[in-house]
Each structure stands twice: as C-alpha cells, then as structure tokens.
Amino acid sequence: MTATSAFFERLAVACQDPRFSKVCGSVRFDIGGGDHLEQWLLIIDHGHMRVTRSPDPATTVIRVSAQVADAMARGEVN
C-alpha cells in the first residue's frame, strides 16, 4: 500500500472531522498520469467525509504525480 492509499483509507475510516464542520464541497485527486491515473474523490458535508475512488466531477481537482502525492501523505511537502 502506498502512503497516498493509506492516507485516503484513514480518511475513509474517520468519516468525520469537526474541523470541517462549516465545509461543504468535494475534491478529486488525480494522481499519476499517462497510462496510470489513480483518482480519489473526497466529499465533505459539514464535517462528514466520504472517500471513494471515482472519476466523478468535483468542486476542485488536484493533479499531482504519484511521487508528490506520497510525499504529501507522509508530511514531507505541503
């Protein structure tokens, strides 16, 4: 399991974060590129979080390489 996968799995298990109690929206993370694109969709509704692997539309889309995504998940880069 990659650091990125582990990060999203932890979010999926948490299901809620009070720091986001006033947040509603979605973020899709497009990770990798070329022939291998991994997509994670994070939906936040007043602190309730749902994480899926989905190419569905989102409020915001963040595209990063797998290397940068793993470094972000490990807290090595912002």
Side-chain angles (χ1 to χ4, degrees), residues 37-51:
L37 181 65
E38 193 174 309
Q39 295 176 304
W40 292 89
L41 181 64
L42 170 61
I43 299 170
I44 303 170
D45 183 9
H46 295 98
H48 297 281
M49 299 180 297
R50 185 166 55 98
V51 178

Side-chain angles (χ1 to χ4, degrees), residues 1-73:
M1 176 179 286
T2 66
T4 301
S5 295
F7 170 79
F8 283 111
E9 293 297 327
R10 284 191 305 274
L11 282 182
V13 170
C15 295
Q16 188 169 347
D17 190 323
R19 294 174 291 182
F20 299 119
S21 65
K22 296 182 181 181
V23 176
C24 290
S26 57
V27 181
R28 190 182 75 223
F29 294 84
D30 290 353
I31 300 169
D35 293 339
H36 181 53
L37 181 65
E38 193 174 309
Q39 295 176 304
W40 292 89
L41 181 64
L42 170 61
I43 299 170
I44 303 170
D45 183 9
H46 295 98
H48 297 281
M49 299 180 297
R50 185 166 55 98
V51 178
T52 61
R53 288 184 179 235
S54 174
D56 289 348
T59 308
T60 301
V61 176
I62 298 173
R63 292 182 177 96
V64 297
S65 69
Q67 294 82 6
V68 170
D70 280 342
M72 289 171 62

